[in-house]
Amino acid sequence: MEPLALYIHWPFCLSKCPYCDFNSHVRERIDQARFAAALRAELAWEAARLGRRPLASVFFGGGTPSLMAPKTVAALLADATRLFAPLPDMEITLEANPTSVEAAKLAAFRDAGVNRVSLGVQSLEPEALRRLGRQHTAAQAMAALELARRLFARFSFDLIYARPGQSPRSWRAELRQALELAGDHLSLYQLTIEPGTRFEALHRRGELVLPDADAAGTLYDATGEEAARFGLLAYEVSNYARPGGESRHNLAYWRYGDYAGIGPGAHGRVSVGGALLATRRHRAPEPWAELVERQGHGTAEETAVAPAERAREMLLMGLRLSEGIDVARFAARTGVALAQALDADTLRRALAEGYLEQGGGRLRATPEGRKRLDALLAALVA
Ligand code: SF4
């Protein structure tokens, strides 16, 4: 049986960051008890049809799950470990923002069973934090990282780079400062303009200008070099880890494993009775909770993923990883031979030009290929 990765979405934030298109909502008052009960009910509903499968990881994402009451996290983990069969080294991650209020709850989250935190630091520069609309200061971020190090054997944090006007020199300096504080994992994302965000409006009006593709490529190369100097290697386009520190939960997505998504807007891919189901929950928090209260789950859409679509999805995910795609697993998981899923001419050219490589039963994108992955995939996926 495919081990399961379990994602639980907490949809609320203190404020909306101007670059963010996640399913996050700001409310004056949150009915914690109602949302805790709805999450537990939807988890029980999903588990009833999945059966007592091996559970490899749990990930509390958002939104800002560090705004959850620790007792809600404890209750959901007690449910998950009763309803599924936890693997001995189960990874339990919670995303947290480094405000002082949330940092003060980290010990309680650990006591609730969380064994890994991922902190939304985003920058160590005060002016950049202000422009990114973050609620915390650089000093608070550093204090939260120190605390995470004391409390958890494993922790990660996120930074956003390729910001307006950022030079390779200033990014290298900021990144080095961050790497001094790093645990076993870092997520380093380039700033992108997402539809419907405040940054999109500024960008459209010419008031926010991102580095062009060449400048962004230079910053990407600098990122990999600096991270490697501190022993953190790129195992995915935007994720860096010490060997063994990779996010097991996120690896389940990229390796196209089974994952169940609980909570408003959460997506899942779960094997049920020989079919692979794509599941999506209702996005808006209150209507989602009403649906759960009425029928036990807040599913907005559920479809069986056909073999050709499975192949496309697994390619888009797997080539993000430096380990690439296991050819035998690809055929077993999708029902399509890898060669059948690729445009033969593009494959030949990409291999000859050094953007892809194959060997040892795997197909992988080279570092140069991962740098231009979107264009490569657009041509490659038949
Ligand atoms: S805290 Fe995170 S999820 Fe919430 S709005 Fe900001 S970036 Fe989005």
Side-chain angles (χ1 to χ4, degrees):
M1 228 188 303
E2 273 280 328
L4 186 70
L6 173 64
Y7 176 79
I8 299 176
H9 190 82
W10 184 258
F12 302 112
C13 289
L14 291 177
S15 59
K16 186 78 185 173
C17 302
Y19 56 89
C20 172
D21 71 339
F22 293 165
N23 187 29
S24 64
H25 306 261
V26 179
R27 297 283 183 272
E28 222 151 76
R29 207 190 132 268
I30 297 162
D31 188 341
Q32 288 263 354
R34 182 185 189 200
F35 281 90
L39 287 171
R40 294 184 68 185
E42 189 167 70
L43 174 58
W45 178 85
E46 186 72 71
R49 67 175 180 167
L50 294 181
R52 210 163 174 281
R53 312 219 340 215
L55 184 62
S57 62
V58 182
F59 194 103
F60 292 93
T64 306
S66 48
L67 299 176
M68 292 170 91
K71 67 173 192 233
T72 303
V73 172
L76 284 160
L77 288 175
D79 291 348
T81 49
R82 189 183 69 253
L83 296 164
F84 299 109
L87 295 177
D89 58 348
M90 181 168 60
E91 179 186 89
I92 304 173
T93 305
L94 180 128
E95 287 181 333
N97 278 337
T99 67
S100 50
V101 175
E102 291 157 86
K105 289 161 77 180
L106 289 183
F109 289 128
R110 182 202 53 190
D111 295 345
V114 171
N115 57 24
R116 180 177 182 272
V117 284
S118 177
L119 289 165
V121 169
Q122 314 312 2
S123 175
L124 292 175
E125 289 186 357
E127 177 55 19
L129 286 172
R130 196 189 59 74
R131 292 196 67 179
L132 291 169
R134 304 295 296 175
Q135 294 268 340
H136 62 269
T137 63
Q140 284 174 330
M142 287 188 267
L145 288 168
E146 283 304 324
L147 188 60
R149 174 183 302 285
R150 281 209 302 279
L151 292 173
F152 297 94
R154 301 181 61 204
F155 70 97
S156 177
F157 62 98
D158 298 1
L159 294 177
I160 295 176
Y161 70 101
R163 306 188 302 254
Q166 195 175 32
S167 70
R169 192 189 158 99
S170 69
W171 168 232
R172 279 185 193 265
E174 182 182 356
L175 180 54
R176 268 185 230 135
Q177 192 192 350
L179 284 159
E180 301 277 2
L181 304 167
D184 62 353
H185 191 281
L186 270 184
S187 298
L188 304 169
Y189 299 109
Q190 295 201 9
L191 179 60
T192 52
I193 301 297
E194 303 301 334
T197 60
R198 198 135 47 83
F199 270 11
E200 188 204 24
L202 293 174
H203 188 248
R204 222 179 317 115
R205 295 204 297 267
E207 291 167 29
L208 188 147
V209 181
L210 294 188
D212 64 20
D214 282 349
T218 304
L219 290 164
Y220 182 79
D221 290 341
T223 304
E225 283 166 23
E226 295 296 338
R229 284 180 44 196
F230 284 78
L232 285 106
L233 305 179
Y235 71 101
E236 193 267 349
V237 173
S238 307
N239 285 277
Y240 301 78
R242 300 190 201 287
E246 299 84 1
S247 160
R248 288 173 222 154
H249 183 84
N250 288 340
L251 278 175
Y253 300 149
W254 296 316
R255 288 177 178 158
Y256 206 49
D258 263 23
Y259 58 94
I262 301 299
H267 289 253
R269 291 287 180 282
V270 287
S271 307
V272 178
L276 180 67
L277 300 180
T279 67
R280 183 173 60 77
R281 313 293 184 203
H282 205 294
R283 266 177 83 86
E286 290 79 10
W288 165 83
E290 273 158 36
L291 278 176
V292 177
E293 284 154 5
R294 223 174 32 242
Q295 62 184 27
H297 62 98
T299 305
E301 196 181 3
E302 182 163 293
T303 49
V305 190
E309 183 59 12
R310 291 187 198 193
R312 201 185 71 84
E313 290 188 339
M314 192 165 174
L315 273 167
L316 297 190
M317 288 290 161
L319 288 180
R320 298 183 66 84
L321 289 171
S322 52
E323 69 176 23
I325 292 171
D326 181 314
V327 178
R329 178 171 157 79
F330 185 90
R333 185 74 175 145
T334 67
V336 178
L338 183 58
Q340 248 63 68
L342 301 171
D343 179 81
D345 279 346
T346 308
L347 176 63
R348 212 172 309 116
R349 250 195 349 265
L351 288 168
E353 290 170 5
Y355 296 128
L356 288 175
E357 59 190 13
Q358 54 190 359
R362 309 189 79 92
L363 175 73
R364 58 184 87 78
T366 62
E368 281 305 304
R370 285 204 300 282
K371 237 163 105 178
R372 35 182 80 67
L373 194 58
D374 289 346
L376 182 62
L377 285 167
L380 190 64
V381 178

